[in-house]
Amino acid sequence: MTDAVSITRVSMRLFALASMVACCALGLITLYSSGVGLIDPKIHRAAGFALALIVAVAVSQKRQSIYGELSSARVLIDIALIVIGMWAIWSFYFVQTEMETALYDVTTKDAWPALAGLAVFLELCRRLWGWGLFAVGTLGVIYLLFGQDLPGIMAHAGFSLREVAEALWYNTNKGVFGSITNIVLSTVFVFIIFGVLLEGTGAGDTLLKFAFLATRRTRGGPAHAAILASSMFGTMSGSTVANIVGTGTFTIPMIKKRGFSPTFAAGIEATASSGGQIMPPIMGAAALVMADLTGVGYLNIIIAALFPALFYYFSLFAAVTVEARRQGIEVQPMTVDDQITRTDLINSVLFVGPILVVIGSLLAGLSTSAAGFYAVVVLLVLSAINPEVRADPKRIWDSFLKGAESGALLLIAIAAIGILVGSLDSTGLGLKLANVIATIRGESLFSALLVAMVGALVLGMGMPTLPAYLIIILVMGPAIQELGVSMLTAHMFVFYYGVASSLTPPVAIAAYAAAPIAQANPLMTAFMSFRLGMAKFIIPFVFAFYPTILIIEQFSLLPFLWIVARTCFCIWLFSSALSGFDRRKLTIPEIVVRFGAAFACLATDPLIQVPAIGIGMALVAYDFMAGRSTPETSKASQ
């Protein structure tokens, strides 16, 4: 028994070493392809998945070892996964090479390594990303194999094993090695490494201090700082959970100390962190993929996303302000620990410098991947100014490996998404579903968007943002565009709900990540996050009906200013109505009228919006006067 345990421990060390080498190779390949020279696409994709395969097995072993010693059988299974996966990847490379040199058709013999490869990556997807993505990929394979026997629109003409392999494994436009994989390897990967390096150089700590300084005179204090820090930190990491862990460990205890409840502290951190992915200029992996899928360019995506993101964070600021008033929390003086030091000012260059390089590179016409490459180079050079980095240079190397590992794990998720893409594209199911949705909603844009919103939240439930966004746009995108909504607006719409799905109970992964830090109930935190982030569910409807907010879509100055003012006013009415408090406790009739006025403010008909604005302003003015006359109301309401 002791010998078996020692053998598994040695094997784990070997897997960990192999994983480190694979991460190093993957990171170097990414930097080379982003800023030095192009790599043959078939070699790039095959090498990317081969290295990701090693990393994924090692990480799954590490996670499993937390619960106890690995068995010898588990180690043998892991070795088998790597061997079979490498065989399948080599088969892809061989078939692609043959197709380039001569006329070559995929044979039944080629189908077996392909099906084995699908099984390997789906199993790794289950281990690393849970049953949701595993089910998505598995259903894609099963649907191709047996969907011809299904009733109604679900039925298709039928696919042989050879055709399934060709659609899901050997096709470089769709499937596991398809265009989405290419986008992740060539564009997204370098920004994942950049984000983790940015955090590792100490920029995150400095960001927090600046956020606390900027919000020191607000009632919310650390709660407002959490919102500000998460918006900036999220644009680095592109990951909701990483954002929560990166900022929440500092902000959540301070929010509780200010007087907010643990549930509110965790909820505001989860909501703010999920919004980091919609905040320019980096925004995370999903926005980078959107730029390639829509063809509008990453710089245009940044511009289009700016005002919707500002609306979202304004709604969070409003929610915290109202909650602070409701609980009677006052502004507190700044402590010595909150003050900005000379070192903090120097370290701020670590964040500002690379971000300016990204924006400058895009304005200069460089590719998105090249912008990421130069940002990484500048960051590595600037990192020497941080005394902590000079004292421990290894933290840069560790961050580089961590970034490559994060990218490798994302590739495993992309394999499942590629299977779904191949399945939908080969059978035409996406277009069939779009027609069904069109029938359900009739000719109403609002009802179509409502159906799309519900479907998006269900499809994205429990998934990371990028897979959620891709699944939603594949299924819902065509139906939205059929009503005359532009491609960019449709993608932005489903992108927002891909992000919002991380806040939607019962599977609210952002809330579940924040709750343990605050020692709060996870489910109650999920409902709190849902309430605080309600504006995220309204904003997509605003830019769907008023695309001028996206600036690059039908922009006109006066209509733009008018809808911006109305949206801000709507958000304030909405936030105060949700809390049941403004400058004093609101009555139920006041809450109902505020909700009605908030939604009516956004109506396209001036005969509805103008009276609604008048009613809303009257409500705010009445509340202001009543609050002044009863200053003790807020304290009594606690």
Side-chain angles (χ1 to χ4, degrees):
M1 183 70 179
T2 305
D3 291 340
V5 170
S6 63
I7 289 172
T8 55
R9 286 178 178 173
V10 170
S11 68
M12 278 189 64
R13 292 193 187 100
L14 291 174
F15 272 109
L17 179 62
S19 175
M20 185 181 72
V21 174
C23 285
C24 178
L26 203 49
L28 292 175
I29 288 172
T30 298
L31 293 178
Y32 179 87
S33 64
S34 299
V36 180
L38 296 175
I39 300 176
D40 185 329
K42 67 178 183 296
I43 296 176
H44 197 183
R45 298 178 201 190
F49 269 114
L51 295 169
L53 174 65
I54 296 170
V55 176
V57 171
V59 171
S60 69
Q61 276 194 351
K62 184 179 178 181
R63 292 182 182 178
Q64 183 63 34
S65 67
I66 296 173
Y67 304 102
E69 293 286 348
L70 294 179
S71 65
S72 300
R74 169 63 185 260
V75 173
L76 291 174
I77 291 172
D78 289 344
I79 293 172
L81 287 175
I82 290 179
V83 172
I84 295 170
M86 292 297 182
W87 172 49
I89 292 168
W90 168 255
S91 180
F92 163 79
Y93 177 76
F94 172 78
V95 169
Q96 289 300 317
T97 304
E98 290 296 310
M99 287 180 174
E100 289 177 359
T101 56
L103 291 174
Y104 185 87
D105 288 328
V106 176
T107 65
T108 304
K109 180 182 176 183
D110 298 321
W112 296 113
L115 292 173
L118 292 173
V120 166
F121 281 104
L122 285 173
E123 165 59 14
L124 290 174
C125 195
R126 182 193 66 79
R127 291 185 184 183
L128 298 170
W129 294 100
W131 288 96
L133 274 178
F134 171 80
V136 165
T138 303
L139 288 174
V141 177
I142 294 173
Y143 181 59
L144 279 183
L145 288 173
F146 306 108
Q148 66 272 18
D149 299 323
L150 294 174
I153 65 164
M154 299 297 291
H156 57 67
F159 292 82
S160 65
L161 288 178
R162 182 188 64 79
E163 290 170 328
V164 170
E166 187 173 6
L168 301 183
W169 195 259
Y170 296 111
N171 194 314
T172 55
N173 292 319
K174 57 187 179 183
V176 173
F177 294 90
S179 57
I180 295 176
T181 294
N182 181 56
I183 293 169
V184 170
L185 284 171
S186 61
T187 303
V188 175
F189 218 115
V190 71
F191 278 92
I192 294 175
I193 292 174
F194 168 63
V196 179
L197 280 172
L198 201 56
E199 181 184 348
T201 56
D205 296 339
T206 303
L207 270 180
L208 276 171
K209 274 204 165 185
F210 276 103
F212 277 108
L213 180 67
T215 59
R216 69 188 187 279
R217 296 188 182 280
T218 65
R219 282 175 177 263
H224 280 138
I227 297 169
L228 189 60
S230 294
S231 68
M232 295 186 289
F233 195 89
T235 203
M236 298 190 305
S237 69
S239 166
T240 298
V241 175
N243 200 351
I244 290 168
V245 173
T247 60
T249 50
F250 298 98
T251 58
I252 287 175
M254 298 187 75
I255 295 170
K256 290 170 62 179
K257 188 177 179 181
R258 177 61 68 95
F260 293 100
S261 68
T263 301
F264 183 84
I268 198 66
E269 178 59 46
T271 314
S273 293
S274 70
Q277 295 174 83
I278 61 176
M279 188 68 187
I282 307 299
M283 295 176 64
L288 294 162
V289 173
M290 188 197 304
D292 279 86
L293 292 180
T294 58
V296 301
Y298 186 54
L299 189 60
N300 286 334
I301 295 291
I302 292 173
I303 295 170
L306 179 59
F307 272 88
L310 292 176
F311 287 145
Y312 177 66
Y313 278 100
F314 171 71
S315 74
L316 295 186
F317 266 83
V320 170
T321 299
V322 170
E323 184 69 15
R325 286 178 179 175
R326 191 178 71 82
Q327 296 192 28
I329 295 171
E330 301 294 339
V331 178
Q332 295 182 8
M334 186 172 63
T335 65
V336 175
D337 293 337
D338 297 330
Q339 295 177 5
I340 301 297
T341 65
R342 181 173 177 272
T343 302
D344 293 324
L345 291 173
I346 294 172
N347 285 351
S348 66
V349 178
L350 292 172
F351 177 74
V352 176
I355 295 297
L356 290 178
V357 168
V358 170
I359 297 172
S361 299
L362 294 173
L363 291 174
L366 297 179
S367 67
T368 310
S369 56
F373 170 78
Y374 289 118
V376 169
V377 172
V378 169
L379 177 61
L380 291 175
V381 173
L382 292 175
S383 64
I385 69 175
N386 188 346
E388 294 181 5
V389 173
R390 293 199 301 270
D392 182 20
K394 187 175 177 289
R395 63 189 288 175
I396 298 295
W397 172 249
D398 292 340
S399 296
F400 177 73
L401 293 180
K402 183 181 176 184
E405 181 184 289
S406 298
L409 301 188
L410 178 61
L411 267 182
I412 301 301
I414 293 302
I417 298 300
I419 292 171
L420 178 66
V421 172
S423 179
L424 291 176
D425 191 72
S426 299
T427 60
L429 180 61
L431 293 175
K432 293 177 185 177
L433 289 174
N435 291 332
V436 171
I437 293 171
T439 303
I440 293 173
R441 49 77 179 162
E443 294 302 316
S444 166
L445 176 59
F446 178 78
S447 58
L449 295 176
L450 203 61
V451 171
M453 179 194 77
V454 174
L457 292 174
V458 172
L459 288 171
M461 199 171 286
M463 290 189 187
T465 302
L466 179 56
Y469 157 69
L470 288 171
I471 291 173
I472 297 163
I473 195 63
L474 287 168
V475 178
M476 300 289 176
I480 300 173
Q481 288 179 246
E482 277 185 6
L483 279 176
V485 175
S486 72
M487 178 184 289
L488 175 60
T489 303
H491 277 254
M492 285 287 290
F493 186 88
V494 299
F495 172 49
Y496 260 71
Y497 288 114
V499 174
S501 63
S502 68
L503 296 173
T504 309
V507 190
I509 55 175
Y512 295 157
I517 302 174
Q519 298 179 330
N521 181 287
L523 190 59
M524 295 306 295
T525 301
F527 283 108
M528 177 63 76
S529 303
F530 182 72
R531 177 173 78 80
L532 294 171
M534 280 295 288
K536 192 181 286 183
F537 298 88
I538 299 173
I539 292 168
F541 283 87
V542 176
F543 60 69
F545 282 95
Y546 301 97
T548 186
I549 281 182
L550 301 180
I551 299 178
I552 64 171
E553 294 272 302
Q554 307 171 26
F555 182 76
S556 182
L557 183 59
L558 289 179
F560 171 79
L561 295 175
W562 179 228
I563 187 57
V564 165
R566 284 158 52 200
T567 304
C568 290
F569 189 54
C570 164
I571 287 171
W572 180 260
L573 291 176
F574 193 68
S575 296
S576 58
L578 278 173
S579 295
F581 201 92
D582 194 335
R583 290 180 175 273
R584 59 184 180 84
K585 187 176 181 180
L586 301 177
T587 63
I588 292 178
E590 285 178 313
I591 292 172
V592 172
V593 176
R594 281 193 181 226
F595 272 127
F599 287 113
C601 283
L602 300 176
T604 54
D605 188 348
L607 294 177
I608 298 175
Q609 62 186 238
V610 173
I613 292 170
I615 292 170
M617 293 178 70
L619 286 169
V620 172
Y622 174 76
D623 184 78
F624 178 77
M625 298 302 296
R628 289 185 63 184
S629 62
T630 55
E632 298 300 319
T633 305
S634 62
K635 294 179 181 179
S637 67
Q638 295 182 63

